[in-house]
Amino acid sequence: MKPVASPSTQLSLFGERASPRLSKSRYAAGVQCHKLLWWKVHEPRALELQPDKVLQDRFDQGAQVGGLARGRFPGGVLIDLPYNAFAERLQATRAALDATEPVIFEASFVADDTYVAIDVLERLERGFRLIEVKSSSSQKEEHIPDAAVQAHVARRNGVDVRSVEILHLNKAFRFPDQGDLFARTDVTPAVEQLLPGIPVQLAAHLDMLRGPLPDVPIGLHCFTPRDCPFLARCWPQAPDHIMKLYNVGPKKACDYMLTGVHTIGQIPPKQKLPDAAQRQIRALQENRLIVEPRLKAALEPFTGRLGFLDFETISRAVPVWPGMAPWEQAAAQFSYHEAREDGTYRHVSYLAEGPQDARPPLARAMLEATADAERVVMYTPFERTRIRSLQVAVPELANDLKALEDKLIDLHPVIRDHVYHPDFQGSFSLKYVLHPLVPELTYNDLVIVDGLVASVEIARLLFVAQRIPPEERDRVRQDLLDYCERDTWAMVKLLERLRELVAAT
Ligand code: SF4
């Protein structure tokens, strides 16, 4: 190992500041966009940067995966100090290196005003292996710069990094013990390729941070490798902005913008577009609800004794129930409305309780609730996918679940292919179509209004209930029940509204 500056000398390089200016996450932010990095550093308390429940859950799951990954290296030494105790962490790392520890977790280094804590630093016969732990179920492109900046800083500290690996979850693993939970991908060549450019990038980041907010135009980088938290600050929010075109996506929207098309109205008339996008253009031009005459025929299959079904799911990095893969979604809640002959509706709901496998009791409750329905209405094929998964997870009910699957009928394409209201904003998700079509009904009065939040809250109730005060537990349970019920009631009211639209034509 080459001689390196002592930790206290390294920290004195930061002048008056007590901490280095960059970290690996700030480096990655700067690679995505200088404006994003500037805000992260100069406006760390910005609302957009505060982790919401979903992001916090992602962090918590990442920490769980990190802990399990450490278990694969028995005898490893953890630099177990607060993240911002920089000098102490550098000192402890240096001590562990001097003691020739075979494996160091969270080995911490600073160079070029950049601080990194390496998940696993493994001593090899010659040199070291740097291992970055990720909770994703595959190695992704965005992991390379992340690992490369760590390798750069470690090498600048005299650590001879010979090999770089990403230790990620293995999508072939099945709970409880089928296969290995982790898979390793060697990324050394890709990291080596990036390394020569890193000092220049770090210098550019630091230089930019010394100046005012940089003027960075919006573009595809706002969504790559992940959606920037400042999208609402930088992107126009006008209802006719090209990003609001149905099914456009960031890539096509940016292509339009490069040709000078920034609003839906500027799209050349001869441009080939999906029917729904053409209907959207007409609705915006005429500022009215468009209803296709074919809607009547599309509604014909929605007859007989109708039920309306919606699931909420859990999705855990480390699977929790038999046969589940990392991040696999599993149904843990449903809401069901069924039309009675007198025009009223009965409602049945199920929400799992406790950490045990919820799928068998959920499947039984759902089959019982839907037994009399002739058709069961869903919104998007999500419910079909979940029922198919249940056929595998609860094989003793597979035949009955298949029969239920055969009753499913999707309301989403009926709206997408026949109706457009200017307020849909290019989306046909329930949250976007409900209020424009059924003005008396919204999600605004609910605490939970989003499937991702619902998923995180269900997981919290099932797996860490003991850490939640009982009154909060009851409240969250009720919030979840209200949210799922609203989804099926929304389908009921949407179908009623569509029938009214047909009757009015
Ligand atoms: S929205 Fe785009 S331009 Fe604005 S900070 Fe984010 S990445 Fe940069």
Side-chain angles (χ1 to χ4, degrees):
M1 185 179 300
K2 293 174 215 149
V4 291
S6 72
S8 58
T9 316
Q10 289 173 29
L11 281 177
S12 72
L13 294 174
F14 311 134
E16 294 303 305
R17 274 179 291 112
S19 62
R21 181 146 271 197
L22 295 178
S23 60
K24 73 172 182 179
S25 64
R26 283 182 174 182
Y27 164 76
V31 171
Q32 179 168 1
C33 172
H34 267 183
K35 201 175 191 178
L36 164 62
L37 173 59
W38 196 95
W39 272 325
K40 273 192 166 223
V41 172
H42 293 290
E43 234 187 273
R45 291 183 198 284
L47 260 184
E48 294 93 331
L49 294 174
Q50 308 318 309
D52 58 11
K53 278 191 170 154
V54 175
L55 190 57
Q56 189 55 53
D57 178 67
R58 192 85 197 193
F59 293 155
D60 294 346
Q61 296 205 66
Q64 184 195 10
V65 170
L68 289 170
R70 288 204 282 271
R72 298 171 69 92
F73 303 89
V77 169
L78 174 64
I79 305 302
D80 195 8
L81 290 159
Y83 177 83
N84 56 2
F86 297 108
E88 292 82 355
R89 291 184 71 108
L90 301 187
Q91 258 157 6
T93 301
R94 179 57 50 199
L97 285 168
D98 290 346
T100 65
E101 295 289 356
V103 175
I104 307 172
F105 306 125
E106 301 288 319
S108 304
F109 303 100
V110 172
D112 298 341
D113 212 352
T114 305
Y115 170 81
V116 300
I118 296 168
D119 289 332
V120 184
L121 188 62
E122 188 180 23
R123 190 179 289 273
L124 304 173
E125 219 166 280
R126 294 184 63 196
F128 289 84
R129 178 181 290 126
L130 183 158
I131 301 170
E132 169 73 0
V133 180
K134 293 291 183 192
S135 56
S136 56
S137 49
S138 62
Q139 188 261 306
K140 298 185 172 155
E141 198 52 42
E142 73 219 49
H143 298 157
I144 306 296
D146 200 335
V149 73
Q150 296 176 64
H152 167 77
V153 173
R155 280 187 182 170
R156 290 267 286 106
N157 277 269
V159 178
D160 182 15
V161 175
R162 295 280 178 105
S163 155
V164 183
E165 285 186 358
I166 306 297
L167 183 64
H168 51 86
L169 294 173
N170 173 13
K171 53 169 81 109
F173 173 79
R174 295 291 178 274
F175 183 90
D177 53 8
Q178 249 180 283
D180 190 338
L181 177 62
F182 287 97
R184 296 166 83 128
T185 304
D186 187 329
V187 293
T188 314
V191 164
E192 290 292 354
Q193 222 181 342
L194 273 196
L195 276 169
I198 292 212
V200 180
Q201 276 180 321
L202 291 175
H205 287 5
L206 291 164
D207 195 39
M208 177 278 297
L209 286 172
R210 281 187 279 272
L213 178 69
D215 187 14
V216 181
I218 54 174
L220 199 50
H221 63 276
C222 303
F223 306 92
T224 319
R226 59 186 64 82
D227 284 2
C228 173
F230 294 107
L231 288 174
R233 279 200 202 186
C234 297
W235 280 74
Q237 298 298 308
D240 65 339
H241 188 265
I242 195 67
M243 262 304 276
K244 298 268 163 77
L245 179 66
Y246 165 71
N247 209 23
V248 72
K251 169 85 177 69
K252 272 196 245 164
C254 290
D255 287 348
Y256 272 122
M257 285 156 58
L258 286 173
T259 63
V261 173
H262 294 268
T263 65
I264 291 171
Q266 291 168 337
I267 296 173
K270 287 195 175 153
Q271 178 74 46
K272 271 194 153 187
L273 290 171
D275 288 350
Q278 291 181 23
R279 204 169 297 116
Q280 176 184 12
I281 293 173
R282 267 171 56 215
L284 287 173
Q285 276 169 350
E286 297 168 23
N287 193 25
R288 68 177 182 92
L289 173 69
I290 304 272
V291 180
E292 300 292 348
R294 288 169 288 126
L295 177 61
K296 185 171 187 234
L299 286 178
E300 272 164 17
F302 291 76
T303 48
R305 196 177 180 96
L306 283 183
F308 299 78
L309 180 66
D310 180 73
F311 286 121
E312 301 304 329
T313 59
I314 57 156
S315 169
R316 300 282 90 190
V318 180
V320 283
W321 295 332
M324 277 176 74
W327 291 114
E328 182 179 328
Q329 286 189 310
Q333 178 181 8
F334 75 77
S335 166
Y336 179 72
H337 276 96
E338 188 174 285
R340 294 195 184 100
E341 273 169 21
D342 64 1
T344 61
Y345 289 84
R346 76 180 171 93
H347 180 245
V348 179
S349 63
Y350 177 92
L351 174 54
E353 251 180 293
Q356 63 282 358
D357 189 353
R359 294 166 299 175
L362 176 145
R364 273 191 287 276
M366 177 176 63
L367 288 170
E368 194 184 320
T370 56
D372 295 336
E374 288 168 73
R375 309 304 302 257
V376 173
V377 182
M378 58 183 177
Y379 201 81
T380 79
F382 184 75
E383 275 61 40
R384 185 183 301 285
T385 315
R386 298 283 71 79
I387 288 176
R388 284 187 181 158
S389 303
L390 285 170
Q391 289 168 40
V392 178
V394 196
E396 65 274 22
L397 298 177
N399 289 340
D400 292 340
L401 288 163
K402 175 73 179 73
L404 172 58
E405 184 194 335
D406 293 340
K407 292 184 193 173
L408 292 173
I409 184 165
D410 193 351
L411 190 60
H412 173 264
V414 174
I415 297 182
R416 182 196 61 203
D417 298 343
H418 303 92
V419 180
Y420 196 90
H421 188 286
D423 292 342
F424 282 0
Q425 299 187 55
S427 169
F428 292 94
S429 86
L430 264 184
K431 314 288 176 303
Y432 281 82
V433 302
L434 180 61
H435 189 59
L437 289 179
V438 187
E440 69 275 17
L441 201 56
T442 71
Y443 285 80
N444 294 346
D445 57 318
L446 299 182
V447 176
I448 295 174
V449 292
D450 171 286
L452 287 175
V453 175
S455 175
V456 165
E457 290 290 47
I458 296 172
R460 209 159 65 95
L461 280 185
L462 298 193
F463 305 113
V464 293
Q466 68 286 0
R467 284 193 238 146
I468 312 172
E471 60 284 6
E472 184 186 339
R473 227 178 292 161
D474 294 346
R475 186 174 47 71
V476 173
R477 246 190 111 71
Q478 192 55 52
D479 292 342
L480 284 162
L481 290 167
D482 291 347
Y483 170 62
C484 201
E485 179 174 356
R486 183 64 50 87
D487 273 349
T488 45
W489 189 241
M491 283 190 258
V492 168
K493 299 311 274 181
L494 278 170
L495 185 57
E496 280 180 8
R497 176 72 178 133
L498 294 176
R499 285 178 173 147
E500 284 167 16
L501 289 172
V502 166
T505 54

